Amino acid sequence: MKQRSDSTTDQAPADPYATDDMLAGQPVGYWSGRAHAAVTRHLRDTMARVDVTQPQYWVLNRVSGGPTAPDRADVVAQLTPLADGPHEISRVVDQLLHRGWLRADAEHRLHLTDTGEAARIRLRALVSEVRAEVHAGVTDEEYVAALKVLRTMVANVEGSGYAQPD
Protein backbone atom coordinates (compact mmCIF):
# COMPACT_ATOMS: atom_id res chain seq x y z
CA MET A 1 0.00 0.00 0.00
CA LYS A 2 1.37 3.37 -1.03
CA GLN A 3 1.56 5.82 1.86
CA ARG A 4 0.71 9.44 1.16
CA SER A 5 1.47 12.05 3.73
CA ASP A 6 0.83 15.15 1.66
CA SER A 7 -1.58 16.55 4.26
CA THR A 8 -0.03 19.23 6.42
CA THR A 9 -3.30 20.58 7.78
CA ASP A 10 -3.56 20.69 11.57
CA GLN A 11 -6.47 18.99 13.29
CA ALA A 12 -9.14 21.44 14.41
CA PRO A 13 -11.91 20.86 16.94
CA ALA A 14 -15.12 19.44 15.49
CA ASP A 15 -17.29 22.26 14.23
CA PRO A 16 -20.65 21.51 12.63
CA TYR A 17 -20.62 25.05 11.22
CA ALA A 18 -17.14 24.89 9.66
CA THR A 19 -16.90 26.70 6.35
CA ASP A 20 -15.59 24.92 3.26
CA ASP A 21 -12.13 26.42 3.71
CA MET A 22 -12.02 24.94 7.24
CA LEU A 23 -13.12 21.38 6.35
CA ALA A 24 -9.62 19.99 5.74
CA GLY A 25 -8.88 20.38 9.44
CA GLN A 26 -12.09 18.76 10.64
CA PRO A 27 -11.89 15.33 12.35
CA VAL A 28 -13.08 12.51 10.08
CA GLY A 29 -14.35 10.55 13.08
CA TYR A 30 -16.75 13.34 13.98
CA TRP A 31 -18.15 13.68 10.47
CA SER A 32 -18.26 9.97 9.65
CA GLY A 33 -19.91 9.35 13.01
CA ARG A 34 -22.52 12.05 12.41
CA ALA A 35 -23.20 10.69 8.92
CA HIS A 36 -23.55 7.14 10.23
CA ALA A 37 -25.88 8.18 13.04
CA ALA A 38 -28.05 10.46 10.88
CA VAL A 39 -28.42 8.05 7.97
CA THR A 40 -29.02 5.02 10.19
CA ARG A 41 -31.59 6.89 12.30
CA HIS A 42 -33.42 8.13 9.19
CA LEU A 43 -33.49 4.67 7.61
CA ARG A 44 -34.63 2.97 10.82
CA ASP A 45 -37.31 5.60 11.45
CA THR A 46 -38.61 5.13 7.90
CA MET A 47 -38.66 1.33 8.29
CA ALA A 48 -40.39 1.59 11.68
CA ARG A 49 -43.33 3.29 9.98
CA VAL A 50 -43.94 -0.01 8.11
CA ASP A 51 -43.20 -2.17 11.19
CA VAL A 52 -39.83 -3.48 10.03
CA THR A 53 -36.32 -3.14 11.39
CA GLN A 54 -33.09 -2.70 9.50
CA PRO A 55 -31.75 -6.04 10.82
CA GLN A 56 -34.91 -7.75 9.54
CA TYR A 57 -34.16 -6.32 6.11
CA TRP A 58 -30.56 -7.57 6.34
CA VAL A 59 -31.77 -11.09 7.15
CA LEU A 60 -34.31 -11.11 4.31
CA ASN A 61 -31.58 -10.06 1.88
CA ARG A 62 -29.09 -12.59 3.20
CA VAL A 63 -31.55 -15.47 3.00
CA SER A 64 -32.51 -14.56 -0.58
CA GLY A 65 -29.03 -13.66 -1.73
CA GLY A 66 -27.05 -16.86 -2.13
CA PRO A 67 -26.78 -19.89 -4.36
CA THR A 68 -27.68 -22.16 -1.43
CA ALA A 69 -30.06 -21.51 1.42
CA PRO A 70 -28.21 -20.54 4.61
CA ASP A 71 -28.96 -21.93 8.04
CA ARG A 72 -29.37 -19.80 11.17
CA ALA A 73 -25.66 -20.09 12.05
CA ASP A 74 -24.65 -18.83 8.59
CA VAL A 75 -26.96 -15.82 8.83
CA VAL A 76 -25.92 -15.03 12.39
CA ALA A 77 -22.20 -15.30 11.59
CA GLN A 78 -22.44 -13.05 8.56
CA LEU A 79 -24.67 -10.34 10.03
CA THR A 80 -23.67 -10.13 13.70
CA PRO A 81 -20.75 -7.74 12.96
CA LEU A 82 -23.37 -5.25 11.70
CA ALA A 83 -25.80 -5.79 14.57
CA ASP A 84 -26.28 -3.96 17.84
CA GLY A 85 -25.38 -7.04 19.87
CA PRO A 86 -24.39 -10.70 19.64
CA HIS A 87 -27.95 -12.03 19.96
CA GLU A 88 -29.83 -9.57 17.75
CA ILE A 89 -29.66 -11.52 14.48
CA SER A 90 -30.77 -14.78 16.05
CA ARG A 91 -33.76 -12.94 17.53
CA VAL A 92 -34.54 -11.42 14.14
CA VAL A 93 -34.55 -14.87 12.54
CA ASP A 94 -37.07 -15.93 15.20
CA GLN A 95 -39.20 -12.84 14.53
CA LEU A 96 -39.24 -13.51 10.79
CA LEU A 97 -40.08 -17.19 11.29
CA HIS A 98 -42.92 -16.17 13.61
CA ARG A 99 -44.11 -13.51 11.15
CA GLY A 100 -44.19 -16.12 8.38
CA TRP A 101 -41.62 -14.34 6.24
CA LEU A 102 -39.10 -17.18 6.67
CA ARG A 103 -39.44 -20.93 6.86
CA ALA A 104 -36.91 -23.59 7.78
CA ASP A 105 -36.63 -26.81 5.78
CA ALA A 106 -35.83 -30.30 7.11
CA GLU A 107 -32.08 -29.47 7.07
CA HIS A 108 -32.78 -26.26 9.05
CA ARG A 109 -31.93 -24.10 6.05
CA LEU A 110 -33.80 -20.82 5.85
CA HIS A 111 -35.97 -19.79 2.90
CA LEU A 112 -38.13 -16.78 2.20
CA THR A 113 -41.84 -17.46 2.01
CA ASP A 114 -43.86 -15.74 -0.72
CA THR A 115 -44.90 -13.20 1.91
CA GLY A 116 -41.28 -12.72 2.93
CA GLU A 117 -40.16 -12.18 -0.65
CA ALA A 118 -42.95 -9.67 -1.21
CA ALA A 119 -41.86 -7.83 1.95
CA ARG A 120 -38.21 -7.89 0.82
CA ILE A 121 -39.18 -6.36 -2.53
CA ARG A 122 -41.28 -3.65 -0.84
CA LEU A 123 -38.44 -2.90 1.57
CA ARG A 124 -35.92 -2.71 -1.27
CA ALA A 125 -38.09 -0.03 -2.90
CA LEU A 126 -38.32 1.82 0.44
CA VAL A 127 -34.55 1.64 0.95
CA SER A 128 -34.02 2.93 -2.60
CA GLU A 129 -36.24 5.91 -1.78
CA VAL A 130 -34.25 6.62 1.39
CA ARG A 131 -31.00 6.27 -0.55
CA ALA A 132 -32.24 8.85 -3.07
CA GLU A 133 -33.02 11.25 -0.20
CA VAL A 134 -29.59 10.74 1.37
CA HIS A 135 -27.79 11.11 -1.97
CA ALA A 136 -29.70 14.21 -3.13
CA GLY A 137 -27.20 16.73 -4.48
CA VAL A 138 -24.35 14.18 -4.51
CA THR A 139 -23.15 12.85 -7.85
CA ASP A 140 -22.10 9.22 -8.24
CA GLU A 141 -18.54 10.45 -8.80
CA GLU A 142 -18.56 12.43 -5.54
CA TYR A 143 -20.02 9.46 -3.69
CA VAL A 144 -17.37 7.09 -5.06
CA ALA A 145 -14.63 9.57 -4.17
CA ALA A 146 -15.93 9.91 -0.61
CA LEU A 147 -16.07 6.13 -0.14
CA LYS A 148 -12.59 5.68 -1.58
CA VAL A 149 -11.25 8.21 0.90
CA LEU A 150 -13.01 6.47 3.81
CA ARG A 151 -11.81 3.06 2.60
CA THR A 152 -8.24 4.34 2.47
CA MET A 153 -8.52 5.80 5.98
CA VAL A 154 -9.82 2.45 7.28
CA ALA A 155 -6.91 0.69 5.61
CA ASN A 156 -4.48 3.22 7.10
CA VAL A 157 -5.56 2.41 10.64
CA GLU A 158 -6.48 -1.26 10.31
CA GLY A 159 -3.91 -2.38 7.77
CA SER A 160 -6.80 -4.14 6.06
CA GLY A 161 -5.56 -3.76 2.50
CA TYR A 162 -8.71 -1.98 1.30
CA ALA A 163 -6.81 0.92 -0.19
CA GLN A 164 -6.69 0.99 -3.94
CA PRO A 165 -3.50 1.99 -5.73
CA ASP A 166 -3.53 5.24 -7.67
Side-chain angles (χ1 to χ4, degrees):
M1 175 172 42
K2 181 176 139 184
Q3 295 289 327
R4 291 193 317 201
S5 60
D6 51 359
S7 177
T8 58
T9 305
D10 286 335
Q11 181 74 43
D15 180 0
Y17 305 105
T19 59
D20 286 358
D21 62 322
M22 299 167 56
L23 287 177
Q26 289 291 289
V28 69
Y30 171 78
W31 287 102
S32 62
R34 286 223 28 209
H36 172 75
V39 170
T40 300
R41 182 177 50 254
H42 180 65
L43 178 61
R44 289 181 176 189
D45 288 350
T46 301
M47 287 182 159
R49 288 193 281 277
V50 295
D51 193 28
V52 177
T53 67
Q54 185 182 30
Q56 288 172 340
Y57 180 59
W58 297 337
V59 170
L60 293 173
N61 280 327
R62 173 59 188 96
V63 170
S64 76
T68 60
D71 63 17
R72 177 188 297 264
D74 295 332
V75 172
V76 168
Q78 185 176 25
L79 296 177
T80 293
L82 305 173
D84 289 335
H87 307 292
E88 181 178 32
I89 301 303
S90 186
R91 289 180 187 128
V92 166
V93 170
D94 289 336
Q95 291 166 349
L96 295 175
L97 287 165
H98 177 76
R99 190 176 264 194
W101 290 7
L102 291 180
R103 67 173 178 80
D105 64 21
E107 289 81 37
H108 305 287
R109 300 230 169 250
L110 300 171
H111 304 271
L112 292 180
T113 63
D114 290 343
T115 306
E117 177 60 10
R120 189 188 69 77
I121 290 169
R122 282 192 314 274
L123 290 168
R124 184 174 177 96
L126 181 69
V127 169
S128 293
E129 290 172 16
V130 170
R131 185 182 193 281
E133 288 178 64
V134 170
H135 288 238
V138 179
T139 67
D140 285 349
E141 293 79 17
E142 291 169 326
Y143 182 71
V144 168
L147 293 187
K148 286 173 76 173
V149 167
L150 290 172
R151 186 170 60 186
T152 298
M153 289 179 169
V154 169
N156 287 345
V157 297
E158 290 185 351
S160 58
Y162 288 128
Q164 299 296 313
D166 290 325

